[in-house]
Amino acid sequence: MMGGEGCFESYGDVFNADDWVSNGRRIVVKWETDYGDRGTCHDAGGEAGPGNYCNANLRESGRVRIQVVERNGAEGPDYYPGPWSSWWSID
């Protein structure tokens, strides 16, 4: 079971990764646009703190989608990958 959540806020192009469980893993929000940009937002804080906010500075047009995973380290294997979200308007 995944120990956190992620979201996207179009105002400011902000992604949020929120790790709820102190288990040595992190919550990662993987994102991609319909014009080819992609990236990640990580939170490894466990139960302490409000999560991590990442500003992506996306184009004012286009769409974005996210997938939330639990990961062992910054580049380690993904655990409990959630489904990709629907495509959301960036503007």
Side-chain angles (χ1 to χ4, degrees):
M1 179 174 186
M2 181 145 354
E5 69 180 356
C7 65
F8 169 69
E9 299 173 28
S10 62
Y11 182 78
D13 301 335
V14 176
F15 297 90
N16 173 252
D18 195 359
D19 185 7
W20 299 336
V21 181
S22 298
N23 61 2
R25 297 184 187 153
R26 63 184 62 212
I27 294 298
V28 178
V29 175
K30 297 162 69 170
W31 60 267
E32 64 183 26
T33 66
D34 62 352
Y35 54 85
D37 282 356
R38 62 185 65 227
T40 57
C41 182
H42 299 237
D43 180 34
E47 298 171 52
N52 187 34
Y53 292 87
C54 305
N55 186 319
N57 196 22
L58 304 174
R59 289 184 191 171
E60 295 304 313
S61 62
R63 298 180 304 157
V64 65
R65 68 182 184 165
I66 67 171
Q67 180 187 41
V68 181
V69 301
E70 190 173 288
R71 185 177 286 171
N72 188 7
E75 300 298 327
D78 291 343
Y79 297 89
Y80 314 113
W84 282 96
S85 70
S86 302
W87 287 100
W88 299 317
S89 177
I90 294 171
D91 56 357

